[in-house]
Amino acid sequence: MKFSVPAVVGLALAGLIATTAPSASATTTLAAPDIPLANVKAHLTQLSSIAAANGGNRAHGRAGYLASVNYVKGKLDAAGFTTTVQQFTSSGSTGYNLIADWPGGDTNSVVMSGSHLDSVTAGAGINDNGSGSAAVLETALAVSRAQLKPTKHLRFAWWGAEELGLVGSRYYVNNLPTADRAKISGYLNFDMIGSPNPGYFVYDDDPTIEQTFKSYYAGLGIPTEIETEGDGRSDHAPFKNVGIPVGGLFSGADYIKTAAQAQKWGGTSGRAFDACYHRSCDTTANIDDTALDRNSDAIAYAVWSLSGAS
Ligand code: DTR
Ligand code: CA
Ligand code: ZN
Ligand code: ZN
């Protein structure tokens, strides 16, 4: 029987159910896998269809957001994750965070990866932030395919109401007991990672996490820049504010790509990294496949590396 999210929310919040899979079995692969771009794009197609079927967006408080949560949750439940839906209220509407734990690993040391799943009301929000949501989902599914047994515990999250001011992620952190906050060894944030005129920006908040991503891109011979516009502008901020190490990747929003940046990354100078930022044209056509692919693979590399699976 498929639970609608409100039913699950009630039961999960009452501690009555958590959809838990059989425990992970033996083998651990040593190298992070390639994340198939086609799989990530298939998730984007689904999120696009969800928006089209629900008034054209996936915004907080709208049907398209809850449908997005149900889509992601269904994939994770089928893949053996223990999922929990955390309910909150913002601007008079019910919001939902989706949390997925991969059974196993040291629960006193948690590597957490997250992205916001909501869009603005203007459109489907495929780059902002279907891109991060789909890449984190496919990385989680790759963990399942590998039946990974990392040293650290893996947790994944899809946040609600980021566009209203980091509401879902702030609610999660504020309601996380201090002892549980201390168990999170790092939070990795992915918000806009497929921008059509992409840059390759790495958060510089925690040096270990920063170096992990920089090493990945150095291995590809791709230069990166430090992400400088985002302090407080995405879901890593509530985690950083309570002292949890954070990091992440970003391909750019409405800032303009310089000539020097176009020289090293390609694309078009004098134009925004994402000219459809917060606009109705943020559709499946508003994605650079190479950036989405590279960043998806970088997420897997970081999850494998930071959790002791490599
Ligand atoms: N606030 C995000 C977009 C955004 C703008 N600057 C950054 C820097 C790092 C991550 C995200 C962002 C949004 O509109 O969802
Ligand atoms: Ca790939
Ligand atoms: Zn946004
Ligand atoms: Zn965003």
Side-chain angles (χ1 to χ4, degrees), residues 116 128 162-163 191-192 203 227 229-230 233-234 250 253 277-278:
H116 75 87
D128 182 21
E162 185 272 351
E163 299 289 7
D191 183 356
M192 303 181 73
Y203 297 13
E227 196 291 301
E229 67 165 281
R233 288 191 65 177
S234 195
F250 178 56
Y277 176 61
H278 286 187

Side-chain angles (χ1 to χ4, degrees), residues 34-45 138 292-293:
D34 170 70
I35 299 299
L37 172 65
N39 292 11
V40 180
K41 295 194 71 167
H43 300 316
L44 295 183
T45 299
E138 193 57 28
L292 183 62
D293 191 20

Side-chain angles (χ1 to χ4, degrees), residues 116 118 120 128-129 162-163 166 189-192 201 203 227-236 249-255 277-278:
H116 75 87
D118 63 311
V120 293
D128 182 21
N129 185 37
E162 185 272 351
E163 299 289 7
L166 322 180
N189 192 62
F190 307 101
D191 183 356
M192 303 181 73
F201 298 99
Y203 297 13
E227 196 291 301
T228 57
E229 67 165 281
D231 279 358
R233 288 191 65 177
S234 195
D235 295 303
H236 58 301
L249 299 172
F250 178 56
S251 54
D254 49 352
Y255 282 28
Y277 176 61
H278 286 187

Side-chain angles (χ1 to χ4, degrees), residues 14 56-57 81-82 101 123 139 159 169 206 217 242 248 257 298-299 304:
N57 68 61
F81 284 83
T82 301
D101 285 275
T139 298
W159 306 118
S169 55
D206 174 77
Y217 274 104
V242 298
K257 181 181 279 186
I299 295 170
W304 260 247

Side-chain angles (χ1 to χ4, degrees), residues 217-275:
Y217 274 104
L220 296 179
I222 296 168
T224 57
E225 289 186 10
I226 296 306
E227 196 291 301
T228 57
E229 67 165 281
D231 279 358
R233 288 191 65 177
S234 195
D235 295 303
H236 58 301
F239 290 85
K240 183 174 183 179
N241 291 343
V242 298
I244 294 171
V246 303
L249 299 172
F250 178 56
S251 54
D254 49 352
Y255 282 28
I256 302 302
K257 181 181 279 186
T258 67
Q261 289 170 330
Q263 189 68 33
K264 63 179 160 183
W265 289 330
T268 308
S269 65
R271 281 185 56 81
F273 295 101
D274 181 354

Side-chain angles (χ1 to χ4, degrees), residues 6 13 30 34 66 68 82 111 120 131 152-153 163 175 216 237 244 253 263 277 286 293:
L13 292 175
L30 293 180
D34 170 70
L66 188 51
S68 300
T82 301
V111 173
V120 293
S131 62
K152 298 183 179 181
H153 180 77
E163 299 289 7
N175 287 275
Y216 179 78
I244 294 171
Q263 189 68 33
Y277 176 61
N286 190 49
D293 191 20

